[in-house]
Amino acid sequence: MRLMVQKYGGTSVANLECMQKVREKVLHVLDRGFKVVVVLSAMSGETNRLIEMAGKWSKRPDPCEMDVLLATGEQVSVSLFTILLKELGIKARSVLGFQIPIQTDKSFGKARILDIDAEKIKATLNRHDVLVVAGFQGCDCEQRITTLGRGGSDTSAVALAAALDAELCEIYTDVEGVYTTDPNICPQARKLKRIAYEEMLEMASMGAKVLQIRSVEFAKKYNVPVHVRSTFCDQPGTLVVQEDKSMESAMVSGVAYDKDQARITLVDVYDEPGVAAMIFEPIARANIVVDMIVQNPSRGGKTDMTFTVPRGNLEETLNILKKIKEQIGASALLYDADVAKVSVIGVGMRNHSGVAAIAFSALKNENINIMIISTSEIKISCLIEEKYTELAVRTLHEAFGLDQESSAKKC
Ligand code: ADP
Ligand code: ASP
Ligand code: MG
């Protein structure tokens, strides 16, 4: 049995007209002799609408009930789309996460997939040509509904492709592929024919929401070829694949940004063994992901500790820190929610020098101040004022010549 997994995002299933386009794409693959697992997101705007609604009822809605609520978005999409397929006599059925089941841990709102019952899906596929699976959702060991975090349908699709050993996993969205940066804020962005898993992982981690981070982790781990492409045209998109030598010729392959950032500074904490652990252990226990961390050099046994957390976790993090502030000697707890992170990414950084200097002088030329810098082997990130995000992205994109086909800018 030849098997293809196709995932369609929110804008691809936004209304009847869009769903008819999706149906044409599915029919095309059936004609080529494949059976298809179609993974759908909620209709565009629906997940936000549900979150907003719950927010009016409660400041901190119960996370388990939030997942029950949010999973309804995908349930609507899969039922409507299956009705549409059946209109043409196609042997199709819809399936929800808990019916498969897609087994996850208990981290409501950002659950991780632990297991997928592939045999059960294959058995269902013996009786159907198309299985329409609700993305973004699974269930824990007590059959409670869980969701996989924003953008989680990408992960549902790649995880299903890995579990079923599908020939290909296609991610259909509202842009033609993975670009050198977000084409919606930089018109000069260029579509990449191929991108290495590792680069895509950094791009996604640094904020490029075209693929959810965990979907790329799955693809890399299980070597699933992923094709990111548009629902609204037939052009080939971008293949996310294993790295090869040719990819290293470009110094930088993309620029990403993330506005979901908040900066916190603990002023004058004791510069002693154990203080960092006292700060970050309770934050980790609250399941909050800390990103950039900077500790200043010691001044008379005291230092400042600055770090970033997702903006939505700012209040909770501040509450945690208020409880330990005196114990660690901090004279003040400062924060700033109007910050953003811009990053340049490329496997070519491993063997090109001077990338940081180009990035910093490009930002300087636009008078953009850098608050924190962090680096890895294949990325450089700068925390800046949020209002300069778009300008910084366009400036960095230009500085590295990313609008040109051969962007192997030499130092
Ligand atoms: P879907 O609803 O189909 O899952 P998303 O909105 O989650 O779509 O992801 C697609 C969006 O990702 C694009 O509309 C684009 O604005 C954004 N994006 C950010 N960075 C990139 C990039 N490097 N290449 C392509 N799209 C990007
Ligand atoms: N509907 C969810 C969201 O909006 C999951 C997804 O679209 O991938 O984040
Ligand atoms: Mg998405």
Side-chain angles (χ1 to χ4, degrees):
M1 173 172 65
R2 296 192 74 188
L3 184 68
M4 168 104 74
V5 174
Q6 295 189 322
K7 176 258 169 174
Y8 294 89
T11 41
S12 308
V13 293
N15 52 42
L16 179 62
E17 208 187 335
C18 293
M19 282 212 194
Q20 280 167 334
K21 261 207 173 71
V22 171
R23 183 171 66 177
E24 276 168 35
K25 300 245 178 228
V26 174
L27 281 175
H28 183 66
V29 189
L30 287 175
D31 285 346
R32 286 169 54 205
F34 284 90
K35 292 212 174 197
V36 198
V37 171
V38 177
V39 178
L40 298 185
S41 288
M43 294 161 101
S44 159
E46 180 61 8
T47 309
N48 286 344
R49 189 185 74 85
L50 294 168
I51 292 172
E52 233 169 79
M53 196 157 49
K56 286 191 185 136
W57 290 56
S58 160
K59 242 185 134 194
R60 280 170 164 262
D62 179 79
C64 314
E65 295 310 328
M66 274 310 282
D67 279 4
V68 179
L69 176 68
L70 297 192
T72 62
E74 272 68 15
Q75 181 166 346
V76 170
S77 299
V78 293
S79 52
L80 283 174
F81 186 63
T82 310
I83 289 169
L84 212 56
L85 289 175
K86 291 198 148 191
E87 275 297 286
L88 297 184
I90 296 167
K91 278 199 263 173
R93 70 157 283 187
S94 63
V95 204
L96 303 179
F98 80 89
Q99 292 174 310
I100 292 180
I102 294 181
Q103 196 81 50
T104 72
D105 63 14
K106 287 173 172 292
S107 308
F108 296 95
K110 44 183 167 185
R112 278 183 179 273
I113 296 178
L114 301 176
D115 191 33
I116 294 181
D117 192 340
E119 290 317 310
K120 201 165 152 200
I121 306 175
K122 283 179 187 159
T124 316
L125 273 170
N126 281 333
R127 287 174 272 118
H128 299 85
D129 291 325
V130 184
L131 218 59
V132 187
V133 179
F136 180 53
Q137 51 176 260
C139 67
D140 70 3
C141 56
E142 294 172 80
Q143 280 79 49
R144 297 203 72 166
I145 291 173
T146 53
T147 65
L148 309 180
R150 300 307 304 266
S153 302
D154 299 331
T155 303
S156 311
V158 179
L160 280 162
L164 297 168
D165 205 15
E167 257 179 62
L168 184 63
C169 179
E170 293 187 320
I171 303 285
Y172 283 92
T173 184
D174 58 354
V175 289
E176 279 186 39
V178 180
Y179 283 67
T180 45
T181 192
D182 186 345
N184 287 323
I185 69 158
C186 179
Q188 283 76 34
R190 192 170 44 82
K191 184 169 73 180
L192 298 165
K193 287 195 184 77
R194 294 181 320 137
I195 183 165
Y197 290 128
E198 210 169 320
E199 278 176 330
M200 191 63 239
L201 202 55
E202 284 286 11
M203 289 268 269
S205 310
M206 295 304 113
K209 65 171 186 162
V210 62
L211 284 178
Q212 200 201 32
I213 306 167
R214 283 183 191 159
S215 71
V216 192
E217 282 170 358
F218 259 103
K220 184 169 180 253
K221 185 165 173 196
Y222 296 101
N223 209 3
V224 180
V226 174
H227 188 181
V228 181
R229 55 193 312 189
S230 167
T231 306
F232 307 101
C233 78
D234 292 323
Q235 296 302 316
T238 304
L239 279 175
V240 189
V241 288
Q242 294 282 8
E243 182 182 339
D244 66 40
K245 274 271 156 246
S246 69
M247 291 169 172
E248 288 191 352
S249 63
M251 181 160 69
V252 162
S253 44
V255 179
Y257 66 93
D258 185 357
K259 293 186 176 182
D260 182 21
Q261 294 277 317
R263 181 180 62 147
I264 296 175
T265 302
L266 282 157
V267 182
D268 274 347
V269 295
Y270 300 127
D271 189 13
E272 290 171 359
V275 169
M278 278 171 75
I279 296 170
F280 294 110
E281 270 171 4
I283 297 175
R285 272 199 300 277
N287 218 357
I288 295 169
V289 180
V290 175
D291 183 8
M292 304 166 113
I293 303 177
V294 178
Q295 184 182 329
N296 292 347
S298 192
R299 303 174 306 262
K302 289 259 187 160
T303 182
D304 296 341
M305 185 78 85
T306 300
F307 57 94
T308 62
V309 292
R311 209 171 284 174
N313 294 129
L314 176 62
E315 204 184 315
E316 196 181 348
T317 314
L318 291 174
N319 286 337
I320 292 170
L321 295 174
K322 276 175 200 157
K323 288 185 197 139
I324 56 160
K325 193 176 149 222
E326 263 149 46
Q327 231 178 320
I328 56 174
S331 61
L333 176 57
L334 311 175
Y335 64 92
D336 185 354
D338 299 321
V339 294
K341 184 173 63 174
V342 287
S343 310
V344 291
I345 295 131
V347 288
M349 270 184 218
R350 291 199 196 105
N351 45 27
H352 288 93
S353 57
V355 180
I358 295 175
F360 301 157
S361 59
L363 294 176
K364 178 206 77 183
N365 291 343
E366 294 296 340
N367 219 9
I368 299 172
N369 186 39
I370 304 170
M371 302 171 184
I372 307 182
I373 299 163
S374 74
T375 61
S376 80
E377 205 189 6
I378 65 161
K379 72 122 213 273
I380 295 165
S381 300
C382 301
L383 196 75
I384 60 168
E385 269 187 83
E386 183 186 357
K387 64 181 178 192
Y388 295 125
T389 311
E390 284 78 7
L391 175 63
V393 167
R394 288 189 209 115
T395 303
L396 291 169
H397 195 266
E398 196 186 334
F400 288 99
L402 287 171
D403 48 341
Q404 279 128 50
E405 189 64 42
S406 169
S407 54
K409 187 165 177 177
K410 296 278 182 303
C411 298

